[in-house]
Amino acid sequence: MKDYYSRGDAITFEVIESIAEQKLVTRIADKNLPFGGTWTYEIAPDNRGTTLTITEHGEVYNPVFRFISRSVIGHTAQIDQYLIRSERGWRF
């Protein structure tokens, strides 16, 4: 599966674990990127409906990109934007 971005870039992911209606684990499959890692999505019922927990285990291979990620962009920038987009899309 691919995740597309506003500039037309795409990242290919592979599913490494899937439990219907409970858990999905994906890994970046593109070995040519300066970063990689896994994303784990876990869904569980709670008192208000459902809780979605997203855990990212990322790696940044290139030291220059690692510096930019930490000092300029911020390590949580992508997941923060993902959560904002997800919340907008899941409102009823």
Side-chain angles (χ1 to χ4, degrees), residues 15-91:
V15 175
I16 57 175
E17 183 178 358
S18 179
I19 301 171
E21 300 180 17
Q22 294 179 25
K23 184 176 184 180
L24 175 67
V25 182
T26 63
R27 174 177 40 221
I28 295 176
D30 189 343
K31 303 296 182 194
N32 297 320
L33 295 173
F35 53 86
T38 63
W39 287 56
T40 301
Y41 305 84
E42 296 176 284
I43 300 171
D46 69 15
N47 294 341
R48 297 176 298 155
T50 303
T51 297
L52 170 64
T53 302
I54 303 172
T55 305
E56 176 185 16
H57 291 283
E59 302 171 300
V60 181
Y61 312 123
N62 182 311
V64 173
F65 194 77
R66 189 178 312 126
F67 171 80
I68 292 170
S69 175
R70 181 173 7 127
S71 303
V72 179
I73 299 170
H75 282 310
T76 64
Q78 289 297 321
I79 199 160
D80 292 342
Q81 286 301 311
Y82 181 85
L83 290 172
I84 290 168
R85 289 191 311 262
S86 297
E87 184 179 81
R88 282 189 210 140
W90 293 340
R91 288 219 169 136

